[in-house]
Amino acid sequence: MRAAIELTPDPQLMESIRAVGYTFPTALADIIDNSISADAGRIQIVAPPSGEPFVAILDDGLGMSAETATHAMRLAGTSPDAKRGEKDLGRFGLGLKTASLSQCRSLTVASKKQGESVVAYEWDLDFLVETQSWSLLELSPEEIEDLPCVGLLNEQETGTLVLWRKLDRLLPDTNRSELDLADELTNAKEHLGLVFHRFISGETGRSLGISINGRNVVGADPMLEANTATMHGPIQPLSIDGETVLVRAFTLPQRNKLSEQEVLTAQMGGSFRDSQGFYVYREKRLVIWGTWFRIVPKQELGKLARVRVDIPNSLDHLWALDIKKAQAMPPPLVRDQLKRIADRIIAPSTRVFTYRGRRLGQTAVVRIWNHIDERGEFRYELNRRHPMVSSLMNTLHDLPQARFLLEELLSTAERGFPVNDVYSRLGQDQKFAEPRANDEEMLVTAKNLASAAHRLGVQQDQFVETYILSEPFSSANMAEELLRSAYDATD
């Protein structure tokens, strides 16, 4: 009969789990997940810029008893297959330990349950190495009172304080620690505002407040739902394993219609093109964003497309959610359904880029530029039939040399069309300052055209009919009245 040999993990295991791949912002997000699961309404992150460096995360959640806190400090204390409540953002029972120890060598958790005293436990990697024992430290009341920020916990009826000290991974260079910590906190503020924006906005039914060194984290909605120009698609439910996944597409407005803050939110530290794709939320917590999961390629005309995918935590096993809750792949059933609707998802973004305003009820706008397709290639040429060009040609009827120079000018402008420069600038999300004539300038242009038409014997009705469907008048308000008043001014 085979013998069973119990092997206690070597303390070096704690060193190994530090390499899971957390960044400072993703590590903080994992701790906040626990606070949200504990019904916290306020989370304070404290990281002093000077003195002995530490990071404290304090919430006003339900708190833990000594038994529960000890269990929370156990590696994989909860099975990933265990059924979780809707508010539970945990997954593997590793987040508190792996996230914290990825940034520090000393993790302390102090907690206060209703009507009970504060209890505190600590994993100290240096102690494990020194004693070569797999030992969790229980702090005495005197040691608890000496913990940073424990006074804030004592002021609350309930709550939990997570304390990171010995920040060897977060601040490896002690000579630059203050500057490095300031940069990390700035990045963390943006990351947390994005990941938890639906909690901060109160969409979950209870508003969540997060602050870093006393400054509130502002929610950043990548869908820009508050912008009235954002296009909202219908909510499409997908049934998977008896659970429901909700899919909804959004199309952002063009860059010119966004404020600078909205641009920063939509770009998410990169570009519009990089930020397009699916945004997967697990119980309204953003876990992955800016990817099409290779269902369709990222493209310039699709860079305004965003698709929100809401998944319940009961489908974690299908989505291949990783420990950091920073990666998730859709199961084949969801992937197949998303693939079928992918073209419809991107189509509105394409229309935003290709649409040009025109008068309602008109279908034959005469444009100044013509788009020409030739055997898979395309180019733009100036429209010789545009009324302005035709009028100028007619004016120069008796001046063949001038007509020749005009044609050469038009051809040169076409050959010199800066397509590569335009593509490069739009690809960098630079704002295009579209020249738009005001009413006074439009009237001056109309009067000049009317004067030329009058000299050529063109009647008013013909003049209006010619130009009302031509750019720039085709998109002008009260274009007919404008053209008629300009013609009347020439009498």
Side-chain angles (χ1 to χ4, degrees):
M1 181 177 178
R2 292 176 296 178
I5 302 174
E6 184 174 344
L7 292 178
T8 302
D10 190 279
Q12 290 299 322
L13 174 61
M14 281 295 203
E15 298 285 351
S16 300
I17 67 174
R18 306 185 74 196
V20 171
Y22 282 96
T23 63
F24 179 60
T26 58
L28 283 178
D30 223 338
I31 304 303
I32 291 175
D33 286 341
N34 295 332
S35 297
I36 292 174
S37 298
D39 281 337
R42 183 185 180 205
I43 300 168
Q44 303 176 68
I45 299 170
V46 180
S50 59
E52 186 68 25
F54 69 84
V55 176
I57 304 102
L58 173 67
D59 69 48
D60 62 353
L62 298 175
M64 295 180 285
S65 64
E67 180 182 358
T68 305
T70 304
H71 182 77
M73 294 293 269
R74 182 190 300 273
L75 289 182
T78 303
S79 168
D81 296 325
K83 184 176 178 59
R84 298 180 180 271
E86 290 183 3
K87 295 181 180 179
D88 193 343
L89 298 182
R91 170 64 172 134
F92 295 96
L94 289 169
L96 171 63
K97 286 74 65 176
T98 55
S100 299
L101 296 176
S102 71
Q103 307 298 310
C104 66
R105 296 189 65 79
S106 171
L107 161 64
T108 304
V109 173
S111 196
K112 181 181 181 183
K113 198 170 178 63
Q114 181 79 43
E116 299 182 10
S117 301
V118 175
V119 296
Y121 301 90
E122 178 180 354
W123 281 117
D124 187 319
L125 299 189
D126 293 333
F127 178 80
L128 298 186
V129 172
E130 179 183 346
T131 62
Q132 284 298 295
S133 64
W134 190 263
S135 301
L136 177 68
L137 299 174
E138 180 179 6
L139 276 60
S140 68
E142 294 75 22
E143 291 173 318
I144 292 174
E145 287 304 312
D146 289 336
L147 292 175
C149 296
V150 76
L152 297 174
L153 177 60
N154 285 326
E155 293 173 1
Q156 302 178 174
E157 292 186 2
T158 61
T160 297
L161 171 67
V162 176
L163 186 63
W164 298 347
R165 292 179 289 182
K166 300 182 182 179
L167 305 175
D168 64 324
R169 293 286 177 87
L170 177 59
L171 301 174
D173 185 351
T174 56
N175 294 325
R176 287 180 46 83
S177 59
E178 291 186 22
L179 292 176
D180 290 343
L181 183 57
D183 289 342
E184 291 286 1
L185 291 174
T186 297
N187 294 335
K189 189 175 182 181
E190 295 175 355
H191 181 81
L192 299 180
L194 173 66
V195 169
F196 297 105
H197 74 89
R198 297 172 77 178
F199 292 87
I200 295 172
S201 70
E203 183 183 337
T204 59
R206 181 183 179 187
S207 171
L208 176 68
I210 304 174
S211 66
I212 298 180
N213 286 338
R215 302 185 66 180
N216 290 333
V217 173
V218 179
D221 176 12
M223 310 301 166
L224 302 182
E225 286 192 75
N227 190 310
T228 56
T230 297
M231 298 168 56
H232 301 63
I235 298 176
Q236 303 182 56
L238 306 179
S239 180
I240 305 295
D241 268 17
E243 301 287 350
T244 300
V245 173
L246 299 178
V247 180
R248 189 176 196 183
F250 296 83
T251 303
L252 306 189
Q254 286 200 46
R255 178 154 180 349
N256 290 8
K257 296 182 179 180
L258 301 177
S259 67
E260 289 305 314
Q261 183 55 54
E262 286 176 323
V263 170
L264 292 176
T265 299
Q267 290 178 322
M268 295 169 35
S271 66
F272 280 95
R273 189 179 191 279
D274 293 336
S275 303
Q276 65 182 284
F278 294 109
Y279 285 65
V280 179
Y281 292 81
R282 176 179 178 262
E283 300 296 348
K284 294 187 171 59
R285 191 262 209 209
L286 187 59
V287 294
I288 188 171
W289 56 87
T291 175
W292 289 117
F293 297 123
R294 297 188 179 181
I295 291 175
V296 293
K298 288 188 174 181
Q299 52 185 289
E300 190 65 21
L301 292 181
K303 68 182 184 180
L304 299 180
R306 308 281 188 275
V307 185
R308 188 170 68 201
V309 181
D310 279 301
I311 62 174
N313 57 21
S314 54
L315 292 181
D316 286 347
H317 62 291
L318 294 180
W319 280 82
L321 188 72
D322 72 348
I323 292 176
K324 304 186 300 297
K325 295 189 283 290
Q327 294 291 331
M329 289 298 293
L333 286 175
V334 175
R335 184 183 176 88
D336 290 345
Q337 295 186 61
L338 292 178
K339 188 174 183 179
R340 283 196 292 270
I341 64 175
D343 290 339
R344 290 192 314 232
I345 289 171
I346 297 176
S349 174
T350 302
R351 288 197 296 271
V352 168
F353 277 106
T354 57
Y355 174 79
R356 290 292 303 274
R358 64 179 65 187
R359 289 173 59 85
L360 294 176
Q362 305 292 348
T363 58
V365 173
V366 181
R367 308 195 184 283
I368 190 66
W369 286 99
N370 284 334
H371 169 234
I372 309 299
D373 283 312
E374 291 180 336
R375 296 182 296 277
E377 298 181 341
F378 74 94
R379 60 185 172 85
Y380 291 95
E381 67 176 24
L382 287 160
N383 184 6
R384 271 50 170 192
R385 294 185 179 181
H386 190 280
M388 289 188 187
V389 179
S390 298
S391 178
L392 182 55
M393 287 289 192
N394 291 334
T395 302
L396 300 176
H397 182 269
D398 296 327
L399 300 171
Q401 186 63 28
R403 286 171 59 92
F404 172 77
L405 290 175
L406 174 60
E407 179 58 41
E408 285 298 308
L409 174 62
L410 298 179
S411 298
T412 300
E414 292 166 345
R415 290 193 295 269
F417 187 81
V419 60
N420 290 329
D421 183 65
V422 171
Y423 179 82
S424 174
R425 293 179 184 277
L426 291 177
Q428 298 173 50
D429 298 327
Q430 291 189 26
K431 187 174 182 179
F432 175 62
E434 185 173 355
R436 290 185 177 274
N438 56 40
D439 291 343
E440 184 177 346
E441 292 171 332
M442 194 79 76
L443 181 59
V444 170
T445 300
K447 285 181 177 179
N448 290 333
L449 294 172
S451 178
H454 195 269
R455 288 196 303 271
L456 294 171
V458 177
Q459 298 301 308
Q460 185 184 68
D461 288 345
Q462 183 182 355
F463 169 74
V464 172
E465 184 180 348
T466 298
Y467 282 99
I468 196 170
L469 292 179
S470 303
E471 293 180 319
F473 303 106
S474 59
S475 58
N477 293 323
M478 301 180 67
E480 182 174 351
E481 291 81 353
L482 174 70
L483 292 169
R484 289 193 181 279
S485 63
Y487 191 93
D488 289 340
T490 63
D491 292 338

